[in-house]
Amino acid sequence: MITLYQFARTWGLPNLSQFCVKLETYLRMHEIPYQIVETLPLKAPRGKLPFIDDEGLRIADSRLILHHLQSKYGQGEDAHISPEQQATAKSFQRLLEEHLYWISMVTRWDYGESNWQANKQAIFGVLPPIARDVAAAIYRKRIKKQILGHGIGRLSDPEKFALGSEDIDSLADFLGDKPYFMGAQPTSLDTSAYGILVNIVGSPIESPLKDHARSRQNLYDYCRRMQAEFFPELPWPAD
Ligand SMILES: N[C@@H](CCC(=O)N[C@@H](CS)C(=O)NCC(=O)O)C(=O)O
């Protein structure tokens, strides 16, 4: 049985970590049995969550974990879509995970005190008060450094959100009225898309990015549908 190490559930979402939502959605999509251990990234093999333990084999990074699951459990790399469609899906996955993700990280770690407090409580609230403040301060410094290193942190807020809105529009226009991003059946692109988008439209983190994403009704409806299909035990967070 696979053990999935991830943050505790919060905010009425499967996870506050976009990559933990991605992985757990993938496991459910392919009906691969798993158990959850709630943890923080401090002890993760690559210092990030999620990671898994599959009968003693520890793997970190959702992309590598998906490769492992696909080879071990026979779930082909979205075998029902053509190589050309796979290339499109992969490009959107990179847009989500390597660009839009970082703009959403800005909104949590470096965009207003109330967002920071909500983020801090959700991640570090499990720790005793002093440890909570110390860990939160260390991580805030660390994540802000990553945001700067990525490059997005060097732009002004309006510039960041304009770029984020471009991503949102591309995703909304591509999804159109299809049930899933690549058509009638879900693919691994949907695991990334739901993980990142639900954390923008369904979390209590307020920003122009959230406002814009919520204005694209098909993306909002998509997140609700994905949650109802793969996490039926979690009612949609109140609007
Ligand atoms: N490429 C990694 C990204 C994982 C990741 O960024 N996880 C975040 C939470 S969403 C994390 O644990 N960050 C802690 C840190 O960077 O210190 C994956 O696909 O798993």
Side-chain angles (χ1 to χ4, degrees), residues 17-19 41 47-50 61-63 101 139 142 146:
S17 157
Q18 300 85 340
F19 296 98
K48 287 180 187 271
L49 295 175
D61 193 294
S62 66
R63 295 163 298 187
Y101 165 74
Y139 264 87
R142 175 171 158 159
Q146 292 176 6

Side-chain angles (χ1 to χ4, degrees), residues 147-188:
I147 290 169
L148 209 59
H150 174 275
I152 199 74
R154 291 157 202 261
L155 306 185
S156 68
D157 286 339
E159 288 167 337
K160 287 172 197 143
F161 295 131
L163 292 175
S165 294
E166 283 179 11
D167 292 352
I168 295 289
D169 287 339
S170 300
L171 289 159
D173 291 343
F174 184 73
L175 177 65
D177 58 7
K178 301 194 290 293
Y180 304 101
F181 271 90
M182 299 309 296
Q185 289 181 51
T187 64
S188 52

Side-chain angles (χ1 to χ4, degrees), residues 46-169:
R46 294 181 201 259
K48 287 180 187 271
L49 295 175
F51 70 95
I52 62 162
D53 186 310
D54 189 1
E55 294 168 9
L57 179 64
R58 285 192 154 200
I59 310 174
D61 193 294
S62 66
R63 295 163 298 187
L64 304 185
I65 297 168
L66 258 61
H67 290 162
H68 167 76
L69 297 176
Q70 283 156 358
S71 61
K72 178 162 177 183
Y73 296 91
Q75 311 293 344
E77 173 73 11
D78 301 328
H80 62 280
I81 57 173
S82 72
E84 188 184 352
Q85 289 175 310
Q86 286 180 23
T88 303
K90 188 71 74 190
S91 307
F92 269 112
Q93 235 172 338
R94 299 290 193 250
L95 173 148
L96 284 153
E97 297 185 13
E98 307 298 340
H99 192 256
L100 184 56
Y101 165 74
W102 285 105
I103 301 168
S104 76
M105 289 296 273
V106 169
T107 66
R108 290 179 178 194
W109 295 86
D110 200 15
Y111 188 68
E113 186 58 22
S114 60
N115 283 344
W116 163 240
Q117 289 304 329
N119 185 47
K120 178 181 167 183
Q121 180 58 30
I123 300 177
F124 303 102
V126 289
L127 299 175
I130 295 177
R132 177 190 316 158
D133 288 345
V134 172
I138 292 171
Y139 264 87
R140 192 175 197 195
K141 200 169 165 199
R142 175 171 158 159
I143 303 290
K144 280 182 170 186
K145 210 168 150 190
Q146 292 176 6
I147 290 169
L148 209 59
H150 174 275
I152 199 74
R154 291 157 202 261
L155 306 185
S156 68
D157 286 339
E159 288 167 337
K160 287 172 197 143
F161 295 131
L163 292 175
S165 294
E166 283 179 11
D167 292 352
I168 295 289
D169 287 339

